[in-house]
Amino acid sequence: MKETRKGMLIVISGPSGTGKGTLCKRLLHEDTSLCFSVSCTTRAKRDGEIDGVHYHFISENQYDALLQQNKFLENATVHGHRYGTLETPVDEIIERGQNVLLDIDPQGALKVMEKRKDCVSIFILPPSYDALRVRLHTRNTDDPKEIKRRLNNARGEVDKLNKYQYAVVNDDLQMAYEKLSHIISAEKQRTTRYFPVVEDF
Ligand code: ADP
Ligand code: 5GP
């Protein structure tokens, strides 16, 4: 059977600490059709983060220049830092038939949904705000003031849930991963992006 595919844009969003990064890492490991969109950010690099792998860590001036040149598919100020998705790499991945995974905040996700109507939008929910608080503390990447800020923003972000096509509660990690993986598998089979050709005699 001959078949061709058009790549898809998958937007994964939700409050900080809900498990987006953990789930995306696993998806990328298990599914070679997926490519991660490396965002630009002006926030400081955390221990263990690699420039060009986790983020493109750039200065405020570099960010301003990219903004002025209209290089971002979307950009937003999130918890006091600036983040943006570069448009060209996203389009290059889609053109070669692969799928792009965006791990971005809800402000950016809504902008992508508006600009790219054919994207797949998935919101990852925590089982409770208390679980979210515990996860942010356990991750140990942000100071208590920053954690408070992220938790305060979480409720407003969850309010935007109905703008997304899919919702996945990340309570049990394995179950959440399976749900996410099933959504992606089904979306791959849409006739708008999957073109099988039945061979003749
Ligand atoms: P996000 O990328 O959404 O900010 P992370 O993936 O960094 O969140 O996860 C935040 C913390 O929660 C990490 O320490 C991660 O190991 C933990 N975590 C993720 N999923 C679960 C889960 N289902 N149950 C318990 N802890 C989880
Ligand atoms: P962190 O600083 O913890 O890596 O990320 C903070 C938040 O910024 C997370 O919700 C993450 O999804 C979001 N984020 C990361 N990259 C981008 C991006 O390019 N655009 C937008 N809008 N948000 C992003």
Side-chain angles (χ1 to χ4, degrees):
M1 161 86 66
K2 282 185 193 141
E3 53 180 46
T4 50
R5 284 180 188 276
K6 205 172 142 225
M8 64 179 159
L9 181 54
I10 305 162
V11 181
I12 300 212
S13 196
S16 179
T18 199
K20 303 181 297 295
T22 307
L23 289 162
C24 284
K25 201 172 157 190
R26 186 145 170 213
L27 283 171
L28 289 159
H29 187 256
E30 306 276 325
D31 182 346
T32 53
S33 81
L34 300 177
C35 294
F36 185 61
S37 161
V38 180
S39 294
C40 295
T41 184
T42 58
R43 84 149 162 75
K45 189 151 53 118
R46 295 176 184 143
D47 281 350
E49 284 184 331
I50 302 164
D51 189 25
V53 174
H54 298 97
Y55 282 104
H56 298 292
F57 294 97
I58 60 173
S59 66
E60 296 287 345
N61 283 344
Q62 286 172 311
Y63 190 98
D64 285 334
L66 290 169
L67 205 52
Q68 223 168 23
Q69 294 158 27
N70 211 15
K71 297 280 185 195
F72 291 127
L73 169 62
E74 65 73 37
N75 67 284
T77 299
V78 189
H79 317 305
H81 302 289
R82 297 201 286 171
Y83 297 82
T85 304
L86 292 170
E87 190 154 29
T88 306
V90 164
D91 287 336
E92 283 172 356
I93 295 166
I94 292 173
E95 268 160 37
R96 59 172 198 255
Q98 286 199 288
N99 305 306
V100 196
L101 206 55
L102 262 57
D103 168 355
I104 61 175
D105 93 301
Q107 303 172 73
L110 295 186
K111 290 179 195 166
V112 176
M113 287 183 233
E114 195 51 45
K115 276 172 109 170
R116 303 289 178 105
K117 300 284 186 202
D118 60 346
C119 77
V120 178
S121 54
I122 309 169
F123 196 91
I124 311 292
L125 290 147
S128 68
Y129 289 108
D130 197 47
L132 191 63
R133 183 185 59 77
V134 171
R135 284 181 196 180
L136 283 168
H137 281 282
T138 311
R139 187 171 70 181
N140 203 22
T141 51
D142 302 286
D143 62 38
K145 201 172 144 205
E146 179 64 29
I147 290 179
K148 207 169 166 198
R149 191 206 307 233
R150 290 178 182 229
L151 283 170
N152 282 339
N153 289 340
R155 286 168 202 271
E157 293 173 335
V158 172
D159 282 347
K160 303 205 179 90
L161 173 66
N162 66 357
K163 308 272 182 208
Y164 293 73
Q165 292 166 317
Y166 296 99
V168 172
V169 177
N170 180 20
D171 189 353
D172 176 79
L173 184 62
Q174 177 63 22
M175 274 177 63
Y177 171 75
E178 281 171 20
K179 283 177 188 155
L180 204 49
S181 165
H182 291 152
I183 292 167
I184 293 173
S185 294
E187 286 288 344
K188 281 183 188 173
Q189 302 310 116
R190 278 195 191 274
T191 53
T192 47
R193 49 177 80 102
Y194 177 50
F195 314 105
V197 179
V198 180
E199 282 181 62
D200 228 321
F201 294 108

Short mmCIF file of all heavy atoms in Angstrom, two decimals, residues 62-114:
data_model
loop_
_atom_site.label_atom_id
_atom_site.label_comp_id
_atom_site.label_asym_id
_atom_site.label_seq_id
_atom_site.Cartn_x
_atom_site.Cartn_y
_atom_site.Cartn_z
N GLN A 62 17.81 40.20 21.56
CA GLN A 62 17.62 39.19 20.51
C GLN A 62 16.12 38.90 20.33
O GLN A 62 15.63 38.73 19.22
CB GLN A 62 18.37 37.90 20.86
CG GLN A 62 19.87 38.00 20.69
CD GLN A 62 20.57 36.76 21.25
OE1 GLN A 62 20.31 36.32 22.37
NE2 GLN A 62 21.47 36.20 20.47
N TYR A 63 15.41 38.82 21.46
CA TYR A 63 13.97 38.54 21.42
C TYR A 63 13.26 39.68 20.68
O TYR A 63 12.42 39.43 19.80
CB TYR A 63 13.44 38.40 22.85
CG TYR A 63 12.03 37.88 22.94
CD1 TYR A 63 11.76 36.54 23.18
CD2 TYR A 63 10.94 38.73 22.78
CE1 TYR A 63 10.46 36.06 23.26
CE2 TYR A 63 9.63 38.26 22.86
CZ TYR A 63 9.40 36.93 23.11
OH TYR A 63 8.11 36.47 23.19
N ASP A 64 13.62 40.92 21.02
CA ASP A 64 12.99 42.08 20.36
C ASP A 64 13.22 42.04 18.85
O ASP A 64 12.31 42.34 18.07
CB ASP A 64 13.57 43.39 20.92
CG ASP A 64 13.03 43.70 22.31
OD1 ASP A 64 11.91 43.23 22.62
OD2 ASP A 64 13.73 44.39 23.07
N ALA A 65 14.44 41.64 18.45
CA ALA A 65 14.77 41.59 17.02
C ALA A 65 13.90 40.54 16.31
O ALA A 65 13.35 40.82 15.24
CB ALA A 65 16.25 41.27 16.85
N LEU A 66 13.75 39.37 16.93
CA LEU A 66 12.93 38.30 16.32
C LEU A 66 11.47 38.75 16.20
O LEU A 66 10.82 38.49 15.19
CB LEU A 66 13.02 37.02 17.15
CG LEU A 66 14.37 36.29 17.11
CD1 LEU A 66 14.42 35.20 18.17
CD2 LEU A 66 14.60 35.68 15.73
N LEU A 67 11.02 39.46 17.21
CA LEU A 67 9.65 39.96 17.23
C LEU A 67 9.45 40.96 16.09
O LEU A 67 8.46 40.89 15.34
CB LEU A 67 9.42 40.64 18.59
CG LEU A 67 8.00 40.75 19.13
CD1 LEU A 67 7.30 39.42 19.12
CD2 LEU A 67 8.05 41.30 20.55
N GLN A 68 10.43 41.85 15.95
CA GLN A 68 10.34 42.88 14.91
C GLN A 68 10.37 42.26 13.51
O GLN A 68 9.70 42.73 12.60
CB GLN A 68 11.53 43.83 15.06
CG GLN A 68 11.14 45.27 14.90
CD GLN A 68 12.26 46.19 15.35
OE1 GLN A 68 13.43 45.81 15.37
NE2 GLN A 68 11.91 47.41 15.68
N GLN A 69 11.15 41.18 13.37
CA GLN A 69 11.25 40.51 12.06
C GLN A 69 10.07 39.56 11.82
O GLN A 69 10.05 38.83 10.84
CB GLN A 69 12.56 39.71 11.98
CG GLN A 69 13.82 40.55 11.98
CD GLN A 69 15.04 39.74 12.43
OE1 GLN A 69 15.09 38.51 12.26
NE2 GLN A 69 16.03 40.39 13.02
N ASN A 70 9.12 39.53 12.76
CA ASN A 70 7.93 38.70 12.61
C ASN A 70 8.25 37.20 12.50
O ASN A 70 7.63 36.48 11.73
CB ASN A 70 7.16 39.17 11.36
CG ASN A 70 5.67 38.97 11.51
OD1 ASN A 70 5.18 38.75 12.62
ND2 ASN A 70 4.97 39.00 10.39
N LYS A 71 9.23 36.76 13.27
CA LYS A 71 9.70 35.37 13.18
C LYS A 71 8.88 34.40 14.03
O LYS A 71 9.05 33.19 13.91
CB LYS A 71 11.17 35.27 13.61
CG LYS A 71 12.14 36.04 12.73
CD LYS A 71 12.45 35.26 11.47
CE LYS A 71 13.51 35.95 10.64
NZ LYS A 71 13.58 35.42 9.28
N PHE A 72 8.03 34.93 14.92
CA PHE A 72 7.30 34.05 15.83
C PHE A 72 5.92 33.64 15.29
O PHE A 72 5.18 34.48 14.80
CB PHE A 72 7.11 34.71 17.19
CG PHE A 72 8.38 34.89 17.98
CD1 PHE A 72 8.74 36.13 18.49
CD2 PHE A 72 9.22 33.80 18.23
CE1 PHE A 72 9.90 36.29 19.24
CE2 PHE A 72 10.38 33.95 18.98
CZ PHE A 72 10.73 35.20 19.48
N LEU A 73 5.63 32.35 15.42
CA LEU A 73 4.27 31.87 15.15
C LEU A 73 3.35 32.38 16.25
O LEU A 73 2.21 32.75 16.03
CB LEU A 73 4.29 30.33 15.11
CG LEU A 73 2.95 29.59 15.11
CD1 LEU A 73 2.13 29.94 13.88
CD2 LEU A 73 3.18 28.07 15.15
N GLU A 74 3.87 32.36 17.47
CA GLU A 74 3.19 32.94 18.64
C GLU A 74 4.26 33.32 19.64
O GLU A 74 5.36 32.77 19.62
CB GLU A 74 2.20 31.94 19.26
CG GLU A 74 2.82 30.68 19.86
CD GLU A 74 3.58 30.86 21.16
OE1 GLU A 74 3.17 31.67 22.00
OE2 GLU A 74 4.61 30.20 21.34
N ASN A 75 3.92 34.26 20.49
CA ASN A 75 4.82 34.59 21.59
C ASN A 75 3.99 35.13 22.75
O ASN A 75 2.87 35.59 22.54
CB ASN A 75 5.87 35.61 21.15
CG ASN A 75 5.23 36.95 20.84
OD1 ASN A 75 4.60 37.12 19.80
ND2 ASN A 75 5.37 37.89 21.75
N ALA A 76 4.52 35.01 23.95
CA ALA A 76 3.76 35.47 25.13
C ALA A 76 4.71 35.71 26.29
O ALA A 76 5.81 35.14 26.34
CB ALA A 76 2.72 34.42 25.52
N THR A 77 4.26 36.57 27.19
CA THR A 77 4.97 36.73 28.46
C THR A 77 4.31 35.79 29.44
O THR A 77 3.09 35.87 29.66
CB THR A 77 4.90 38.20 28.94
OG1 THR A 77 5.52 39.01 27.94
CG2 THR A 77 5.63 38.39 30.27
N VAL A 78 5.09 34.86 29.96
CA VAL A 78 4.55 33.83 30.86
C VAL A 78 5.28 33.90 32.19
O VAL A 78 6.52 33.78 32.21
CB VAL A 78 4.73 32.42 30.25
CG1 VAL A 78 3.98 31.37 31.06
CG2 VAL A 78 4.30 32.36 28.78
N HIS A 79 4.54 34.09 33.27
CA HIS A 79 5.12 34.20 34.62
C HIS A 79 6.31 35.18 34.62
O HIS A 79 7.36 34.89 35.21
CB HIS A 79 5.57 32.83 35.14
CG HIS A 79 4.62 31.71 34.88
ND1 HIS A 79 3.29 31.74 35.27
CD2 HIS A 79 4.79 30.51 34.25
CE1 HIS A 79 2.69 30.62 34.89
NE2 HIS A 79 3.57 29.87 34.26
N GLY A 80 6.16 36.27 33.90
CA GLY A 80 7.18 37.32 33.94
C GLY A 80 8.35 37.16 32.97
O GLY A 80 9.24 38.01 32.92
N HIS A 81 8.38 36.09 32.19
CA HIS A 81 9.46 35.91 31.20
C HIS A 81 8.85 35.81 29.81
O HIS A 81 7.68 35.44 29.66
CB HIS A 81 10.27 34.64 31.50
CG HIS A 81 10.89 34.64 32.85
ND1 HIS A 81 11.93 35.46 33.19
CD2 HIS A 81 10.58 33.94 33.96
CE1 HIS A 81 12.24 35.26 34.46
NE2 HIS A 81 11.43 34.35 34.96
N ARG A 82 9.67 36.09 28.80
CA ARG A 82 9.14 36.06 27.44
C ARG A 82 9.52 34.76 26.72
O ARG A 82 10.65 34.29 26.83
CB ARG A 82 9.65 37.27 26.66
CG ARG A 82 9.16 38.58 27.30
CD ARG A 82 9.19 39.73 26.34
NE ARG A 82 10.55 40.19 26.10
CZ ARG A 82 10.86 41.08 25.17
NH1 ARG A 82 9.94 41.59 24.39
NH2 ARG A 82 12.10 41.48 25.02
N TYR A 83 8.54 34.21 26.02
CA TYR A 83 8.70 32.94 25.30
C TYR A 83 8.13 33.09 23.90
O TYR A 83 7.16 33.81 23.69
CB TYR A 83 7.92 31.81 25.99
CG TYR A 83 8.35 31.47 27.40
CD1 TYR A 83 7.91 32.22 28.48
CD2 TYR A 83 9.18 30.38 27.65
CE1 TYR A 83 8.29 31.91 29.78
CE2 TYR A 83 9.56 30.05 28.95
CZ TYR A 83 9.11 30.82 30.01
OH TYR A 83 9.48 30.49 31.28
N GLY A 84 8.69 32.36 22.93
CA GLY A 84 8.13 32.41 21.59
C GLY A 84 8.47 31.18 20.77
O GLY A 84 9.53 30.56 20.95
N THR A 85 7.54 30.82 19.87
CA THR A 85 7.74 29.68 18.96
C THR A 85 8.17 30.21 17.60
O THR A 85 7.44 31.02 17.00
CB THR A 85 6.41 28.91 18.78
OG1 THR A 85 5.93 28.51 20.06
CG2 THR A 85 6.58 27.69 17.88
N LEU A 86 9.31 29.78 17.10
CA LEU A 86 9.76 30.21 15.77
C LEU A 86 8.93 29.52 14.70
O LEU A 86 8.73 28.30 14.75
CB LEU A 86 11.25 29.88 15.59
CG LEU A 86 12.23 30.66 16.47
CD1 LEU A 86 13.63 30.08 16.37
CD2 LEU A 86 12.22 32.15 16.11
N GLU A 87 8.46 30.29 13.73
CA GLU A 87 7.54 29.74 12.73
C GLU A 87 8.24 28.85 11.69
O GLU A 87 7.73 27.78 11.34
CB GLU A 87 6.82 30.90 12.03
CG GLU A 87 5.68 30.45 11.16
CD GLU A 87 4.61 31.52 10.97
OE1 GLU A 87 4.94 32.72 11.00
OE2 GLU A 87 3.45 31.13 10.77
N THR A 88 9.40 29.28 11.21
CA THR A 88 10.06 28.54 10.11
C THR A 88 10.37 27.08 10.47
O THR A 88 10.02 26.18 9.68
CB THR A 88 11.33 29.30 9.64
OG1 THR A 88 10.94 30.63 9.33
CG2 THR A 88 11.98 28.65 8.45
N PRO A 89 11.00 26.79 11.61
CA PRO A 89 11.27 25.37 11.91
C PRO A 89 10.01 24.52 12.00
O PRO A 89 10.00 23.37 11.58
CB PRO A 89 11.99 25.42 13.27
CG PRO A 89 12.42 26.82 13.46
CD PRO A 89 11.54 27.69 12.64
N VAL A 90 8.93 25.11 12.52
CA VAL A 90 7.65 24.38 12.63
C VAL A 90 7.17 23.99 11.23
O VAL A 90 6.83 22.83 10.96
CB VAL A 90 6.59 25.26 13.35
CG1 VAL A 90 5.18 24.73 13.14
CG2 VAL A 90 6.90 25.36 14.84
N ASP A 91 7.20 24.95 10.31
CA ASP A 91 6.71 24.68 8.95
C ASP A 91 7.61 23.68 8.23
O ASP A 91 7.12 22.84 7.46
CB ASP A 91 6.61 25.99 8.16
CG ASP A 91 5.42 26.81 8.64
OD1 ASP A 91 4.49 26.20 9.20
OD2 ASP A 91 5.44 28.03 8.47
N GLU A 92 8.91 23.76 8.48
CA GLU A 92 9.84 22.81 7.82
C GLU A 92 9.54 21.37 8.24
O GLU A 92 9.56 20.47 7.42
CB GLU A 92 11.29 23.18 8.16
CG GLU A 92 11.77 24.38 7.36
CD GLU A 92 13.13 24.90 7.82
OE1 GLU A 92 13.68 24.40 8.82
OE2 GLU A 92 13.64 25.84 7.17
N ILE A 93 9.25 21.18 9.52
CA ILE A 93 8.95 19.82 10.02
C ILE A 93 7.66 19.30 9.39
O ILE A 93 7.61 18.17 8.90
CB ILE A 93 8.84 19.83 11.57
CG1 ILE A 93 10.19 20.18 12.21
CG2 ILE A 93 8.36 18.46 12.07
CD1 ILE A 93 10.13 20.52 13.69
N ILE A 94 6.65 20.15 9.34
CA ILE A 94 5.35 19.73 8.78
C ILE A 94 5.50 19.39 7.29
O ILE A 94 4.97 18.39 6.81
CB ILE A 94 4.28 20.82 9.01
CG1 ILE A 94 3.98 20.92 10.51
CG2 ILE A 94 3.00 20.52 8.23
CD1 ILE A 94 3.07 22.05 10.90
N GLU A 95 6.27 20.23 6.58
CA GLU A 95 6.45 20.00 5.14
C GLU A 95 7.12 18.66 4.85
O GLU A 95 6.86 18.05 3.82
CB GLU A 95 7.26 21.14 4.52
CG GLU A 95 6.33 22.25 4.00
CD GLU A 95 7.04 23.56 3.83
OE1 GLU A 95 8.22 23.55 3.42
OE2 GLU A 95 6.42 24.60 4.11
N ARG A 96 7.99 18.21 5.74
CA ARG A 96 8.61 16.91 5.48
C ARG A 96 7.79 15.73 6.01
O ARG A 96 8.25 14.60 6.06
CB ARG A 96 10.07 16.86 5.92
CG ARG A 96 10.35 17.12 7.36
CD ARG A 96 11.83 16.85 7.69
NE ARG A 96 12.00 16.69 9.10
CZ ARG A 96 12.53 17.60 9.91
NH1 ARG A 96 12.98 18.72 9.43
NH2 ARG A 96 12.62 17.36 11.21
N GLY A 97 6.54 16.01 6.41
CA GLY A 97 5.60 14.93 6.77
C GLY A 97 5.70 14.48 8.20
O GLY A 97 5.08 13.49 8.59
N GLN A 98 6.48 15.22 9.02
CA GLN A 98 6.57 14.84 10.44
C GLN A 98 5.62 15.70 11.27
O GLN A 98 5.02 16.65 10.76
CB GLN A 98 8.01 14.98 10.91
CG GLN A 98 8.90 13.86 10.35
CD GLN A 98 10.16 13.72 11.15
OE1 GLN A 98 11.03 14.57 11.06
NE2 GLN A 98 10.25 12.66 11.92
N ASN A 99 5.50 15.36 12.54
CA ASN A 99 4.55 16.06 13.41
C ASN A 99 5.30 16.89 14.45
O ASN A 99 6.28 16.42 15.02
CB ASN A 99 3.66 15.03 14.10
CG ASN A 99 2.98 14.13 13.09
OD1 ASN A 99 2.33 14.60 12.17
ND2 ASN A 99 3.17 12.82 13.23
N VAL A 100 4.83 18.10 14.65
CA VAL A 100 5.51 19.01 15.59
C VAL A 100 4.76 19.08 16.91
O VAL A 100 3.54 19.25 16.92
CB VAL A 100 5.57 20.47 15.07
CG1 VAL A 100 6.60 21.28 15.84
CG2 VAL A 100 5.82 20.53 13.61
N LEU A 101 5.51 18.97 17.98
CA LEU A 101 4.93 19.04 19.33
C LEU A 101 5.31 20.38 19.95
O LEU A 101 6.50 20.70 20.08
CB LEU A 101 5.55 17.90 20.14
CG LEU A 101 4.81 17.32 21.31
CD1 LEU A 101 3.43 16.86 20.89
CD2 LEU A 101 5.59 16.15 21.90
N LEU A 102 4.29 21.16 20.32
CA LEU A 102 4.53 22.44 20.98
C LEU A 102 4.13 22.31 22.44
O LEU A 102 2.98 21.94 22.72
CB LEU A 102 3.66 23.52 20.34
CG LEU A 102 4.23 24.45 19.28
CD1 LEU A 102 4.79 23.69 18.11
CD2 LEU A 102 3.17 25.43 18.80
N ASP A 103 5.03 22.61 23.37
CA ASP A 103 4.69 22.65 24.79
C ASP A 103 4.69 24.13 25.16
O ASP A 103 5.74 24.71 25.42
CB ASP A 103 5.76 21.86 25.57
CG ASP A 103 5.67 22.07 27.09
OD1 ASP A 103 4.87 22.90 27.55
OD2 ASP A 103 6.45 21.41 27.81
N ILE A 104 3.49 24.74 25.11
CA ILE A 104 3.41 26.19 25.31
C ILE A 104 2.28 26.55 26.27
O ILE A 104 1.39 25.74 26.52
CB ILE A 104 3.24 26.94 23.97
CG1 ILE A 104 1.96 26.53 23.25
CG2 ILE A 104 4.46 26.73 23.08
CD1 ILE A 104 1.69 27.33 21.97
N ASP A 105 2.32 27.78 26.76
CA ASP A 105 1.30 28.20 27.74
C ASP A 105 -0.04 28.51 27.04
O ASP A 105 -0.06 28.66 25.82
CB ASP A 105 1.82 29.42 28.53
CG ASP A 105 1.36 30.71 27.90
OD1 ASP A 105 1.69 30.95 26.72
OD2 ASP A 105 0.63 31.47 28.56
N PRO A 106 -1.13 28.59 27.80
CA PRO A 106 -2.45 28.80 27.19
C PRO A 106 -2.59 30.08 26.35
O PRO A 106 -3.31 30.07 25.36
CB PRO A 106 -3.40 28.80 28.38
CG PRO A 106 -2.71 27.90 29.37
CD PRO A 106 -1.25 28.22 29.24
N GLN A 107 -1.90 31.17 26.72
CA GLN A 107 -2.00 32.39 25.89
C GLN A 107 -1.48 32.10 24.49
O GLN A 107 -2.11 32.42 23.48
CB GLN A 107 -1.11 33.51 26.44
CG GLN A 107 -1.34 33.95 27.85
CD GLN A 107 -0.22 34.92 28.26
OE1 GLN A 107 -0.19 36.05 27.81
NE2 GLN A 107 0.69 34.47 29.10
N GLY A 108 -0.31 31.45 24.44
CA GLY A 108 0.30 31.11 23.14
C GLY A 108 -0.53 30.07 22.40
O GLY A 108 -0.70 30.14 21.18
N ALA A 109 -1.07 29.11 23.15
CA ALA A 109 -1.86 28.03 22.53
C ALA A 109 -3.08 28.62 21.81
O ALA A 109 -3.39 28.23 20.68
CB ALA A 109 -2.29 27.03 23.60
N LEU A 110 -3.74 29.58 22.45
CA LEU A 110 -4.93 30.18 21.83
C LEU A 110 -4.55 30.91 20.55
O LEU A 110 -5.29 30.89 19.56
CB LEU A 110 -5.63 31.14 22.80
CG LEU A 110 -6.24 30.51 24.06
CD1 LEU A 110 -7.03 31.53 24.86
CD2 LEU A 110 -7.15 29.34 23.72
N LYS A 111 -3.37 31.54 20.54
CA LYS A 111 -2.92 32.25 19.33
C LYS A 111 -2.66 31.25 18.20
O LYS A 111 -3.02 31.49 17.05
CB LYS A 111 -1.64 33.04 19.62
CG LYS A 111 -1.87 34.24 20.51
CD LYS A 111 -0.55 34.97 20.78
CE LYS A 111 -0.70 35.94 21.94
NZ LYS A 111 0.59 36.42 22.44
N VAL A 112 -2.05 30.11 18.52
CA VAL A 112 -1.77 29.10 17.50
C VAL A 112 -3.09 28.53 16.96
O VAL A 112 -3.27 28.37 15.76
CB VAL A 112 -0.86 27.97 18.04
CG1 VAL A 112 -0.66 26.88 17.00
CG2 VAL A 112 0.49 28.53 18.48
N MET A 113 -4.05 28.27 17.86
CA MET A 113 -5.35 27.72 17.43
C MET A 113 -6.05 28.68 16.46
O MET A 113 -6.75 28.25 15.56
CB MET A 113 -6.24 27.49 18.65
CG MET A 113 -5.83 26.32 19.49
SD MET A 113 -7.05 26.15 20.81
CE MET A 113 -6.02 26.14 22.20
N GLU A 114 -5.86 29.98 16.69
CA GLU A 114 -6.49 30.99 15.84
C GLU A 114 -5.82 31.02 14.46
O GLU A 114 -6.48 31.10 13.43
CB GLU A 114 -6.33 32.36 16.55
CG GLU A 114 -7.20 33.48 16.02
CD GLU A 114 -8.66 33.13 15.90
OE1 GLU A 114 -9.23 32.53 16.82
OE2 GLU A 114 -9.23 33.45 14.82
#
